Amino acid sequence: SQTIHQWPATLVQPVGSPLSLECTVEGTSNPNLYWYRQAAGRGLQLLFYSVGIGQISSEVPQNLSASRPQDRQFILSSKKLLLSDSGFYLCAWSERMTGGKDTQYFGPGTRLTVL
Amino acid sequence: GEDVEQSLFLSVREGDSSVINCTYTDSSSTYLYWYKQEPGAGLQLLTYIFSNMDMKQDQRLTVLLNKKDKHLSLRIADTQTGDSAIYFCAEFYGGATNKLIFGTGTLLAVQP
């Protein structure tokens, strides 16, 4: 069976510090990978998605970046955090499929607080 | 356009049925989803329905789809306190970038 991991689970960082959140998937190969941000416990904002190693698409311009160094590893980074980067970050994966189906499975999330 | 709307809050008594509603905009959506999010956790896939179906039932969950009105609903029978959570509907948007478009979420509060 497939599992998805995220770490750390919680993070408190000062403004201007760097960020690295990691997501890994087990039990599948060539997954689509996604980073979402959820602010104030509601509403999901898609940040990045990837269909393969080194292939990253950005949905929203911001000071965050994503990388996919390995097939089942997805990393969210920032060089300098802003207060507005606080939120709940969710990673998700889906199988490569055609025909309009993109069932996504979510990780447990990382709670980021920027002070 | 990409817009999925849900009511923000629903309160029911334990044992009653809950109905959570969702409207979407992409008439060509092929799959529509319901996810559940408990406090501090990720999203859990509850069920999905293919667009050529009107209804799908899975134990206490019933999904109804009205394609003409672009309306999706999730009915939870015999609602329990453990059903308290935020429920998100999502549509598969097959535009330039294939992706899921999520609603804003409905907070379901179950009163004992």
Side-chain angles (χ1 to χ4, degrees):
Chain A
S1 63
Q2 299 88 6
T3 56
I4 179 169
H5 304 279
Q6 286 187 245
W7 66 89
T10 60
L11 191 61
V12 180
Q13 292 284 94
V15 170
S17 64
L19 173 74
S20 180
L21 302 182
E22 189 164 345
C23 171
T24 58
V25 181
E26 296 176 356
T28 187
S29 58
N30 292 324
N32 296 323
L33 294 171
Y34 308 83
W35 277 113
Y36 290 88
R37 177 168 58 202
Q38 187 178 31
R42 307 297 294 272
L44 287 164
Q45 179 186 33
L46 178 62
L47 301 176
F48 301 95
Y49 70 94
S50 171
V51 298
I53 295 175
Q55 301 178 61
I56 310 294
S57 296
S58 174
E59 287 293 302
V60 181
Q62 57 217 322
N63 70 320
L64 299 172
S65 61
S67 62
R68 185 170 177 173
Q70 299 180 46
D71 181 44
R72 290 168 288 177
Q73 184 185 30
F74 206 23
I75 297 173
L76 183 68
S77 304
S78 174
K79 292 181 180 178
K80 287 185 178 182
L81 283 168
L82 306 172
L83 285 173
S84 58
D85 291 324
S86 292
F88 192 48
Y89 288 82
L90 290 160
C91 180
W93 73 274
S94 66
E95 290 184 351
R96 304 270 183 89
M97 296 188 77
T98 58
K101 187 178 181 183
D102 186 38
T103 305
Q104 295 182 19
Y105 301 91
F106 285 79
T110 295
R111 173 75 58 192
L112 172 66
T113 303
V114 182
L115 301 175
Chain B
E2 310 167 11
D3 199 9
V4 180
E5 296 185 353
Q6 299 179 241
S7 54
L8 292 180
F9 183 74
L10 176 66
S11 180
V12 299
R13 290 194 177 276
E14 191 172 18
D16 290 348
S17 292
S18 307
V19 179
I20 302 170
N21 295 303
C22 170
T23 58
Y24 60 97
T25 56
D26 187 1
S27 58
S28 63
S29 293
T30 49
Y31 284 89
L32 295 124
Y33 298 83
W34 283 103
Y35 286 85
K36 175 184 179 183
Q37 185 181 34
E38 295 180 355
L43 272 69
Q44 172 194 355
L45 176 67
L46 284 179
T47 187
Y48 61 87
I49 188 168
F50 187 50
S51 60
N52 69 349
M53 299 169 66
D54 297 324
M55 184 182 81
K56 180 179 180 181
Q57 188 157 359
D58 183 3
Q59 299 182 338
R60 292 190 297 121
L61 304 179
T62 303
V63 179
L64 295 177
L65 176 60
N66 182 330
K67 286 194 68 177
K68 176 176 172 291
D69 296 335
K70 298 178 200 169
H71 184 263
L72 182 73
S73 68
L74 175 70
R75 179 177 180 269
I76 306 174
D78 187 25
T79 312
Q80 304 297 308
T81 54
D83 295 324
S84 294
I86 299 176
Y87 290 81
F88 291 92
C89 65
E91 64 168 334
F92 179 80
Y93 183 74
T97 57
N98 291 348
K99 60 185 180 182
L100 287 184
I101 305 298
F102 285 85
T104 51
T106 299
L107 175 61
L108 174 64
V110 182
Q111 311 300 325

